[in-house]
Amino acid sequence: MTNVVVDADAIYFASRETSAAKLWRRPRSGGPIEPVIAAYPGLLRGLTLVGQHLYFVLRPLGGGQQGPAASNLVRVAKTATNGTPTTIGPANLHDVATDGTWVYYGAGAQIRRVRDGS
Amino acid sequence: MFAFASSLSLGTAMCSSSSPSTGDAEQTDLADGTFRGVFTGTNDLAGVAELAVTAADRAGATASLRPRAGGTSPYTVSGRVTLNVAGIGPIDVTGTLDLATGAVALSGTAAGAPVSFEGRYEGGVVRGELVTPFGRGPLALTNEELGGVRVHCGTFEGSARGRVGAIVTNTRAAAVFAAADGRAAGGEGTIDGPLVTVTLEPEGSATGTVGAGQLTGSWSFGGGSGAFAATESACSALTPPDAAADAGSDAGPPLVDAGPPGEPETVYTLPSGVDVGHLTVAGGRVVYSVGHVYFTQKRELATVGVDGSTPTTIVPVNDPQASPQHGVAGITVLGARVYWLAGRAGSDVNLWSVASAGGAPTDHGTVHGALNEDYVDGVPLLVNDGASVFMSAYGPSGSAIRSFDGSGSPVATFGGGDELIGQHGIVLDGANLLFGDFTASARSRRRSRARRPRSSRRRATGSSTR
């Protein structure tokens, strides 16, 4: 397991297997662990929860020493099951932070932010 | 549409011309007593407040709590603000109300960080902006002597979504709105039978019908409009801190989806051209490390306003020859200090801190052996609960969860042996410290001294990894 975030409803955590990243949801009320996204062939980092969405950075496998553009900030509904993340834009495979309204992340030498909801 | 920053004006441009006029005697008579109020803020914050206002020159007097008419000496204010933040108890606030100027100023502390309120008083109503470590927004209160005070909490929808709070008395009403996108408005008005009309600042209005513990109606501000619904029971259901903390509940009604994401915007470009490393957000500033690759033996930390303002280097880049250091592995901001982990030559890892404004860093000493640094980018290894810093360490020399007090001194260590195997990210939910390891997730009661988790790895909740 790599990242973990929580809210009143569930624990959300990322796991890394040999060649795939997975994102899981475990309801606080109990019950089975549910896959928020389908297994992703790459790395998942910077998991952050804002409102009704999980934000994180995905980087595909392959390519060796890749630049920042190879990874992207994405988001998916926290209630999704085997959901497909929406790509927001290039991001460093690193931390993602929030003030509850904006999501902050690095993209190369830039600090960027995106609002959760237009 | 206006930015949330405009709500700052609520604190100084109080009491709109829509306020019912009040005479000097009433203005004074309604200054003391018990005030009840509602708060809405950024980050889905909501809350209620109760303040006791007493004439300073009468404080402690037993003959009468009511000041003489026309008196202008400052009033003392004390009370509590309760937020829908799990694990945070009622926040005690104290301050003054200056009848001569109408200025009201309060302060307090929550989660080790300051809480402040600046507003204005007029005719039994106090309005202004409350700033907390969890968010900020408008707070409005009315004197119970206005009669029939009913406090409502709820949500609004339409072209914007968010929290609404409203107070209705026999003759007057006040309301506060805070949208999920950061916009906010607040104002006061009148009640005519069941009909409530409130003029909002900086502009807008809200109208509704009150009765049977409910207030429903329509709102219009910031170029948007929609409907709102609030109830008295929702205020009562706001997190009774501590009691609901273990369940992680945040009581109040959940917000609906905020809609599609906005367009990304650039806050700041590092002049060095080096990638951004770890980052966190606290106090309206982004605190980040410059992502020097590890073999350069450099570490560097800086901050910049969330709007890109006032970039400040708080830890200049080190001389890699004189004092080589590995990259930063985790950042957290506790109170007025920034804490981070950084490896030193020889591969041990130290805990460091520096004032948020910069200055000489403090080396709190070695806290662990080398970390597996290739895993820590984008994985939070440092968190804090406002009083303690918690560290998740995973390295070739072992794993541990450690805690440190506000001065950076170690308090407790959990781990060693086979209790932990490569835990990574950690998170706090107000009552528990949750962390993962190679095989599972687990939790431990959050205490000043880390203890064995209630859920061991064998009873863990996570799934197989690696």
Side-chain angles (χ1 to χ4, degrees):
Chain A
M1 186 182 126
T2 51
N3 296 72
V4 55
V5 295
V6 298
D7 67 6
D9 302 320
I11 301 169
Y12 311 87
F13 59 95
S15 67
R16 183 181 130 186
E17 299 182 5
T18 303
S19 59
K22 295 182 178 180
L23 181 57
W24 305 91
R25 175 180 57 247
R26 201 263 189 181
R28 283 181 177 267
S29 58
I33 297 168
E34 302 157 333
V36 179
I37 63 172
Y40 175 79
L43 298 174
L44 186 160
R45 296 287 171 81
L47 181 63
T48 299
L49 177 60
V50 186
Q52 303 300 305
H53 298 99
L54 293 161
Y55 287 78
F56 46 95
V57 178
L58 290 177
R59 190 178 82 177
L61 291 176
Q65 296 292 323
Q66 301 181 50
S71 53
N72 284 292
L73 179 71
V74 303
R75 84 167 192 177
V76 66
K78 70 176 188 177
T79 55
T81 300
N82 288 316
T84 300
T86 299
T87 298
I88 294 173
N92 298 348
L93 188 71
H94 223 305
D95 292 347
V96 175
T98 182
D99 59 9
T101 301
W102 294 88
V103 176
Y104 298 83
Y105 59 100
Q110 291 185 335
I111 295 172
R112 291 184 181 173
R113 68 177 184 177
V114 62
R115 188 189 290 271
D116 178 45
S118 54
Chain B
M1 309 293 271
F2 56 90
F4 183 77
S6 65
S7 72
L8 291 169
S9 64
L10 294 173
T12 54
M14 280 297 307
C15 297
S16 69
S17 56
S18 64
S19 303
S21 61
T22 53
D24 288 345
E26 183 182 4
Q27 168 81 348
T28 303
D29 288 350
L30 292 172
D32 73 340
T34 299
F35 284 69
R36 294 175 59 199
V38 286
F39 165 75
T40 57
T42 53
N43 307 330
D44 196 24
L45 280 177
V48 293
E50 184 167 321
L51 303 177
V53 181
T54 307
D57 57 358
R58 298 291 180 90
T62 56
S64 173
L65 291 176
R66 188 178 300 283
R68 57 188 178 278
T72 58
S73 57
Y75 288 58
T76 60
V77 183
S78 63
R80 286 182 160 186
V81 177
T82 301
L83 302 178
N84 60 336
V85 178
I88 301 297
I91 302 167
D92 291 329
V93 293
T94 59
T96 58
L97 184 160
D98 186 340
L99 201 57
T101 63
V104 180
L106 303 171
S107 63
T109 302
V115 172
S116 64
F117 172 83
E118 289 188 8
R120 309 231 0 130
Y121 163 83
E122 183 178 342
V125 177
V126 170
R127 287 198 293 118
E129 186 183 50
L130 180 71
V131 179
T132 81
F134 319 103
R136 63 201 299 164
L139 167 66
L141 307 102
T142 63
N143 192 326
E144 283 191 333
E145 291 192 29
L146 286 169
V149 173
R150 289 155 284 170
V151 180
H152 301 77
C153 300
T155 58
F156 65 93
E157 296 184 340
S159 52
R161 306 172 178 88
R163 298 271 192 176
V164 59
I167 318 162
V168 177
T169 72
N170 288 337
T171 56
R172 302 178 64 181
V176 289
F177 290 78
D181 62 9
R183 289 173 287 160
E188 58 188 288
T190 59
I191 178 168
D192 181 7
L195 301 178
V196 176
T197 302
V198 172
T199 300
L200 299 174
E201 294 176 351
E203 54 80 30
S205 64
T207 58
T209 303
V210 65
Q214 299 184 42
L215 175 61
T216 59
S218 60
W219 61 272
S220 174
F221 68 88
S225 61
F228 70 86
T231 66
E232 293 182 64
S233 60
C235 293
S236 302
L238 288 174
T239 303
D242 300 334
D246 193 46
S249 168
D250 84 341
L255 282 179
V256 296
D257 193 313
E263 285 296 315
E265 58 185 59
T266 299
V267 173
Y268 181 65
T269 300
L270 276 61
S272 63
V274 179
D275 286 356
V276 178
H278 288 273
L279 62 78
T280 189
V281 179
R285 296 187 68 78
V286 180
V287 181
Y288 64 95
S289 64
V290 179
H292 298 292
V293 293
Y294 75 94
F295 56 77
T296 66
Q297 305 284 286
K298 295 178 179 177
R299 61 92 182 88
E300 182 179 4
L301 287 91
T303 72
V304 64
V306 295
D307 58 355
S309 62
T310 326
T312 304
T313 297
I314 58 172
V315 180
V317 64
N318 58 303
D319 180 346
Q321 299 299 321
S323 178
Q325 295 191 22
H326 293 169
V328 172
I331 297 175
T332 192
V333 179
L334 172 60
R337 294 193 73 80
V338 177
Y339 288 81
W340 74 95
L341 296 169
R344 297 165 57 92
S347 77
D348 53 353
V349 172
N350 285 30
L351 178 68
W352 303 76
S353 72
V354 68
S356 297
T362 299
D363 182 352
H364 299 287
T366 299
V367 294
H368 202 265
L371 300 179
N372 287 337
E373 292 181 328
D374 54 335
Y375 291 117
V376 303
D377 291 350
V379 179
L381 300 184
L382 280 181
V383 296
N384 78 82
D385 64 355
S388 300
V389 171
F390 298 86
M391 166 195 180
S392 170
Y394 157 56
S397 60
S399 302
I401 300 287
R402 303 199 68 188
S403 65
F404 307 86
D405 65 20
S407 68
S409 299
V411 174
T413 298
F414 168 69
D418 62 354
E419 289 181 303
L420 292 176
I421 303 176
Q423 76 284 353
H424 280 168
I426 52 177
V427 68
L428 296 163
D429 72 351
N432 297 296
L433 170 69
L434 295 98
F435 58 91
D437 63 19
F438 269 158
T439 58
S441 66
R443 73 173 184 171
S444 171
R445 292 288 294 180
R446 179 175 58 84
R447 300 176 193 278
S448 57
R449 290 188 177 275
R451 297 180 180 176
R452 184 181 182 85
R454 283 196 304 203
S455 302
S456 71
R457 283 189 296 110
R458 285 180 293 280
R459 292 188 288 119
T461 58
S463 70
S464 171
T465 65
R466 284 179 67 104

